[in-house]
Amino acid sequence: MLICAVVITLMRNLFAGAILLSIYSLLASTFFMTMDAVDVAFTEAAVGAGISTILVLATLLHVGHDTKPAKTLRVLPLLVTVFVAGLLIYGLHDMPGFGQANNPVHTHPIAEYYIENSESDTKSPNMVTAILASYRGYDTLGEVTVVFTAGIGVLLLLGGRRKNNKRKADPKIS
Amino acid sequence: MKILGLFNYWMVILLMLVGLYMVIASSNLVKKIVGLNLFQASVFILYISLGKILGGTAPIFLKNAPDTVYSNPLPHVLILTAIVVGVAMTSLGLALIIRIRKAYGTIEEDEILEIENKQQ
């Protein structure tokens, strides 16, 4: 995945970059699969690898494939990146080991509550679905609002004079 | 062992930095959006890594196994929401790029700035 990401950065042809982004999303979704997050893997494969790629390709259709030849490595962005790297690596030392059952994430009572009660509360065997639609329903409402706003924004930006608008499929994403 | 235990987090940091550098450094607007996507995916990976328990299974209720260890479902829910919001954001950004291209005829940041300066 890292190789994929670095190649995207160096790539001058945007078309190849879009396809590599799709491969990157697919790798991410296989990673989610191995991390037991099956629902997230589905979504990433469908939305990240599928719809995102289509959107980027549709944009490239309008704006063309080629970028200007990249200048030599810029200093200021590199400095910012190195600074952020320092902060992140400093923070890394306090991270608990990967996958231990006594990590703070797992010892908080709310996860235990969800795991024990979501089946009897909602009659859904899939805990992720139960939390998404029931316990954290307001989250989903907010999400739908965001998608709706984005859809309206895209229609306002691109709509009007153009009748053969490729972005009209957008609100269906949710 | 400590280093190996944090391997996921090292990868998250590296991916995040690649995305960050791409957003700041590339002058092409589409590449900026792509960099933003890379950055996002690294955050997703961080959350999903946190939710994993070694030896655990996917958080889907198993009838005849009361002692099963499940991975934490809460990060999964948060990331599901984040993925969809991310795509909404990407589509809005790309729509803006198409408008910018129509108005200026280019999607390179420095060229747009030049045109702006000439107009003043």
Side-chain angles (χ1 to χ4, degrees), chain B residues 33-48:
Chain B
I33 296 283
V34 170
L36 212 55
N37 270 311
L38 295 184
F39 192 92
Q40 258 181 356
S42 78
V43 178
F44 299 164
I45 290 172
L46 173 68
Y47 267 66
I48 300 295

Side-chain angles (χ1 to χ4, degrees), chain A residues 51-72:
Chain A
I51 297 176
S52 279
T53 315
I54 294 175
L55 288 176
V56 174
L57 287 179
T59 311
L60 291 186
L61 201 69
H62 290 285
V63 300
H65 292 174
D66 292 315
T67 66
K68 280 197 316 187
K71 282 174 234 128
T72 48

Side-chain angles (χ1 to χ4, degrees), chain A residues 16-40:
Chain A
I19 300 300
L20 276 172
L21 183 67
S22 173
I23 297 174
Y24 175 84
S25 288
L26 201 64
L27 286 174
S29 79
T30 53
F31 170 82
F32 295 149
M33 197 73 207
T34 60
M35 292 287 128
D36 295 342
V38 279
D39 305 76
V40 183

Side-chain angles (χ1 to χ4, degrees), chain A:
Chain A
M1 265 181 92
L2 187 66
I3 297 172
C4 215
V6 173
V7 175
I8 294 178
T9 321
L10 301 176
M11 194 66 73
R12 217 173 294 159
N13 189 331
L14 288 177
F15 181 75
I19 300 300
L20 276 172
L21 183 67
S22 173
I23 297 174
Y24 175 84
S25 288
L26 201 64
L27 286 174
S29 79
T30 53
F31 170 82
F32 295 149
M33 197 73 207
T34 60
M35 292 287 128
D36 295 342
V38 279
D39 305 76
V40 183
F42 284 151
T43 316
E44 178 72 26
V47 171
I51 297 176
S52 279
T53 315
I54 294 175
L55 288 176
V56 174
L57 287 179
T59 311
L60 291 186
L61 201 69
H62 290 285
V63 300
H65 292 174
D66 292 315
T67 66
K68 280 197 316 187
K71 282 174 234 128
T72 48
L73 224 52
R74 298 197 193 174
V75 183
L76 185 63
L78 206 63
L79 276 180
V80 173
T81 313
V82 169
F83 176 67
V84 175
L87 283 183
L88 287 174
I89 291 170
Y90 172 70
L92 189 69
H93 289 294
D94 281 340
M95 290 295 274
F98 168 71
Q100 308 300 322
N102 55 1
N103 282 354
V105 189
H106 306 303
T107 50
H108 193 278
I110 192 136
E112 202 185 323
Y113 177 85
Y114 284 150
I115 289 174
E116 278 173 6
N117 297 329
S118 70
E119 211 269 341
S120 53
D121 279 355
T122 64
K123 306 284 180 253
S124 158
N126 187 339
M127 295 168 205
V128 175
T129 315
I131 299 174
L132 189 72
S134 172
Y135 299 111
R136 299 193 65 91
Y138 279 115
D139 256 15
T140 311
L141 181 66
E143 170 196 340
V144 172
T145 314
V146 169
V147 173
F148 181 67
T149 316
I152 289 183
V154 169
L155 285 183
L156 284 178
L157 281 170
L158 296 179
R161 283 160 292 170
R162 304 165 55 91
K163 288 282 180 263
N164 55 346
N165 198 332
K166 287 201 171 50
R167 293 310 178 74
K168 274 188 178 154
D170 220 27
K172 284 181 199 157
I173 290 172
S174 60

